[in-house]
Amino acid sequence: MEKISSENPSIEKTKFIKSKGLKDKPHNYCPGCGHGIVHRLVAEVVEELGIREKVIAVAPVGCAVFAYDYWNFDVTEAPHGRPPAVATGIKRILPENFVFTYQGDGDLAAIGAAELIHAANRSENITIIFVNNTVYGMTSGQMAPTTLLGQKTLTTPHGREVLRDGYPIKVCELISVLDGARYVARGSVTTPKNVLTTKSYIKKAFLNQIENKGFSIVEILSMCPAGLDMEPLETMEWVDKELIKYFPLGVVKDV
Amino acid sequence: MNKTKSKNKFIVKIETKNCKGCRLCIVYCQKKNLKLSEKINHLGYKYCEVIDYSNCNGCGACYLMCPEYCVEIYKE
Ligand SMILES: Cc1ncc(C[n+]2csc(CCOP(=O)(O)OP(=O)(O)O)c2C)c(N)n1
Ligand code: SF4
Ligand code: SF4
């Protein structure tokens, strides 16, 4: 999207064209998957801030593992859950570069919870883009730490139960109590309005790193129709109606 | 209203070969100007089609929702 400010999407100036931050190659996500929308938002923000030559993204293990095929800037890969640790190393060695991680809920909140918490606690000057679709999409829809209570998944066929599986983790609220966390926000990609708001969160989080303010994270509630075993529109409605009830949208912390 | 003032025209283009028929664009089109095709594309999906090219108000909802970057809107 060019020549449009996210705060004021004035029709007069609107010209919606594919961002140069995205490669021409089509991606392999399932129909209705939110990853494509989030990739586009990140690419647009990178272009708008003019930092494409400086960006080093760290991709996760999960459906976004091939992000280097989709973004038109440098992307490296980390072992499962370790993007915040890899990003820490890159940013410390190359402080002039712009470093962000892109992670799913399985990657970030399960196997990578320790790396996330300590990177936030050290207030590493990196940005985390966290796509919460409540399941392990790539491995076909197992329960994730963010799966809702009662939600049916491949590994909770009768619904998630507190006694057996614990509570869904509110990552933003958890991270926000750490003094090192500077900007924490949660958006979604379920409506055009939410998409624009989420883009403004991503932009703010990126600006925080450019201004050397320290650790920022943007959680994005997203759709995984394949993992949730629903039609794309049904998934979008479910995220919009059910998920947002438990994971409220908005800026959680901005210091 | 000044009738001599020319109204902005918007042209919406859909790259149908990349469309996966998810319909996220269709439900948010303010003018109800998008629909799924009868035919399927080479990916095997029914794809999104524009009903009336002159009926786009340029709101960008379809562009914002499409996960496949199929939609582009130009101002005439
Ligand atoms: C060390 C290790 N453990 C387990 C796996 C298997 N694995 C691959 S992707 C994945 C979960 C991905 O889920 P999520 O992070 O939510 O991303 P999504 O696919 O939903 O985008 C797992 C457990 C792995 N590749 N490596
Ligand atoms: S499995 Fe889920 S997260 Fe992965 S590409 Fe498909 S819809 Fe997207
Ligand atoms: S949102 Fe994109 S992929 Fe989905 S039906 Fe519309 S044009 Fe096709």
Side-chain angles (χ1 to χ4, degrees), chain A residues 10 23 162 171 177 212 215 220 229 253:
Chain A
S10 138
K23 288 185 181 160
V162 173
V171 171
V177 299
N212 290 316
F215 187 90
I220 298 147
D229 201 11
K253 186 176 180 184

Side-chain angles (χ1 to χ4, degrees), chain A residues 220-237:
Chain A
I220 298 147
L221 304 183
S222 177
M223 299 79 85
C224 173
L228 293 161
D229 201 11
M230 288 193 258
E231 289 292 314
L233 289 182
E234 230 186 310
T235 318
M236 188 181 71
E237 250 170 62

Side-chain angles (χ1 to χ4, degrees), chain A residues 19 42 75 100 102 119 122 126 150 156 158-159 173 184 202 205 217:
Chain A
S19 165
V42 170
V75 184
F100 77 90
Y102 184 101
R122 295 189 305 266
I126 57 173
T156 56
H158 304 292
E173 286 77 355
V184 183
I202 295 175
I217 177 168

Side-chain angles (χ1 to χ4, degrees), chain A residues 28-35 63 133 137-138 223-227:
Chain A
N28 294 333
Y29 297 117
C30 307
C33 173
H35 276 304
C63 284
N133 57 20
M138 185 184 224
M223 299 79 85
C224 173

Side-chain angles (χ1 to χ4, degrees), chain A residues 11-246:
Chain A
I11 287 174
E12 300 310 311
K13 291 184 202 146
T14 308
K15 211 168 113 192
F16 299 96
I17 54 176
K18 188 172 168 179
S19 165
K20 292 190 179 68
L22 293 163
K23 288 185 181 160
D24 281 339
K25 189 179 167 182
H27 57 59
N28 294 333
Y29 297 117
C30 307
C33 173
H35 276 304
I37 304 178
V38 183
H39 282 13
R40 195 194 68 234
L41 295 182
V42 170
E44 284 174 358
V45 171
V46 164
E47 279 304 296
E48 284 167 26
L49 297 176
I51 53 174
R52 180 145 52 105
E53 295 302 319
K54 283 187 168 184
V55 168
I56 303 173
V58 186
V61 168
C63 284
V65 71
F66 296 124
Y68 51 78
D69 271 348
Y70 310 143
W71 277 320
N72 200 9
F73 42 73
D74 287 346
V75 184
T76 185
E77 205 43 77
H80 207 5
R82 307 328 184 221
V86 172
T88 297
I90 297 173
K91 186 73 185 181
R92 286 190 178 197
I93 298 295
L94 301 168
E96 295 305 314
N97 283 69
F98 184 92
V99 184
F100 77 90
T101 76
Y102 184 101
Q103 304 176 256
D105 41 75
D107 190 82
L108 175 137
I111 192 169
E115 281 74 11
L116 173 76
I117 287 172
H118 291 290
N121 196 43
R122 295 189 305 266
S123 201
E124 295 294 341
N125 193 25
I126 57 173
T127 312
I128 311 277
I129 304 297
F130 164 37
V131 178
N132 177 2
N133 57 20
T134 75
V135 282
Y136 290 10
M138 185 184 224
T139 46
S140 60
Q142 293 83 357
M143 188 195 91
T146 51
T147 301
L148 294 184
L149 291 179
Q151 186 182 331
K152 288 183 180 152
T153 68
L154 206 63
T155 43
T156 56
H158 304 292
R160 181 175 187 167
E161 274 178 38
V162 173
L163 286 181
R164 189 186 51 214
D165 315 312
Y167 292 92
I169 297 183
K170 290 179 174 162
V171 171
C172 280
E173 286 77 355
L174 181 74
I175 293 300
S176 67
V177 299
L178 298 172
D179 290 338
R182 303 286 193 253
Y183 182 75
V184 183
R186 186 186 286 120
S188 92
V189 288
T190 48
T191 67
K193 183 168 174 274
N194 286 347
V195 168
L196 280 176
T197 311
T198 300
K199 183 176 168 185
S200 70
Y201 294 160
I202 295 175
K203 200 166 192 172
K204 176 78 176 62
F206 275 29
L207 281 169
N208 258 29
Q209 180 177 156
I210 292 170
E211 292 162 10
N212 290 316
K213 285 192 177 162
F215 187 90
S216 3
I217 177 168
V218 180
E219 173 176 349
I220 298 147
L221 304 183
S222 177
M223 299 79 85
C224 173
L228 293 161
D229 201 11
M230 288 193 258
E231 289 292 314
L233 289 182
E234 230 186 310
T235 318
M236 188 181 71
E237 250 170 62
W238 180 81
V239 172
D240 207 39
K241 301 239 156 64
E242 300 304 320
L243 208 55
I244 288 176
K245 273 191 219 159
Y246 190 82

